[in-house]
Amino acid sequence: MGFTHFDGQGNAWMVDVGGKADTDREAVAKGSIAMSRECLRMVVEGGMKKGDVLGVARIAGIMGAKRTSELIPLCHILNLTKLEIAFEVHEERAEIEAVCTARTTGKTGVEMEALTGVSVALLTIYDMCKAVDKTMEIGGICLVEKTGGKSGRFVNPKAKTGEEEDHEGSMGTDH
């Protein structure tokens, strides 16, 4: 399968999805931010001066996902029907994992919205915590799963579950 965002002369263009059927589409993306144990403790206990870190990051991730077409030049504007940002704190690794689920009924998928939502949520955590820990690391951002459209269901075999990460270690454990 070739790239779809280039014409015959190699010029970038927005893919015409006008002839495609509307289908229910969903995408799940995840990523994480590693930080010092002290910083994580402050986030969990609500001790950051800027306020509720995860609450603000959740709203920021949702807002970011809604603006994906303004940030990524060739993305279509989508009528999103669901955006959800969830966090899981991994105290043993001093990490916070963010998961974004995006849903729509339309002619094109919502992978970019889910990836953008995760990215903005994690960047917001960094922004709110940088006064305490400037060495935080954001990583592991990936599409976990998508459904809908002509290609149907896709599950990323490289997207590790929490159990696999616990056995293999992860970024930032020395933080």
Side-chain angles (χ1 to χ4, degrees):
M1 175 181 236
F3 291 111
T4 58
H5 285 82
F6 297 102
D7 67 14
Q9 290 75 44
N11 299 308
W13 69 304
M14 189 171 191
V15 175
D16 182 358
V17 296
K20 294 171 95 178
D22 283 347
T23 62
D24 292 333
R25 297 165 182 268
E26 183 175 278
V28 178
K30 72 173 186 170
S32 61
I33 185 165
M35 60 188 63
S36 68
R37 294 192 184 286
E38 172 66 11
C39 185
L40 182 64
R41 183 188 61 74
M42 291 177 74
V43 170
V44 170
E45 293 176 2
M48 286 294 174
K49 287 185 179 181
K50 289 188 175 184
D52 175 11
V53 173
L54 299 183
V56 172
R58 179 175 291 109
I59 297 301
I62 290 168
M63 290 174 65
K66 288 168 58 173
R67 300 190 76 148
T68 299
S69 66
E70 296 174 32
L71 299 169
I72 312 295
L74 302 177
C75 282
H76 292 85
I77 298 170
L78 299 181
N79 182 23
L80 298 168
T81 58
K82 175 184 181 177
L83 280 171
E84 178 181 290
I85 305 282
F87 297 103
E88 187 170 340
V89 175
H90 298 282
E91 290 188 28
E92 69 283 359
R93 296 191 308 256
E95 256 180 37
I96 299 172
E97 181 180 68
V99 177
C100 179
T101 303
R103 191 177 298 152
T104 191
T105 299
K107 299 174 185 307
T108 190
V110 289
E111 298 92 341
M112 295 307 299
E113 286 72 14
L115 289 162
T116 301
V118 162
S119 299
V120 172
L122 294 171
L123 287 167
T124 301
I125 293 171
Y126 187 96
D127 178 56
M128 293 186 73
C129 298
K130 68 183 183 266
V132 173
D133 182 4
K134 290 176 179 48
T135 68
M136 290 176 285
E137 295 179 30
I138 294 172
I141 297 172
C142 66
L143 176 68
V144 175
E145 179 178 2
K146 71 147 233 78
T147 58
K150 184 171 61 173
S151 61
R153 185 167 189 243
F154 167 78
V155 176
N156 185 346
K158 295 179 182 179
K160 295 178 181 174
T161 66
E163 282 180 17
E164 290 166 338
E165 289 173 358
D166 287 342
H167 296 303
E168 295 179 20
S170 73
M171 68 172 195
T173 54
D174 294 337
H175 242 147

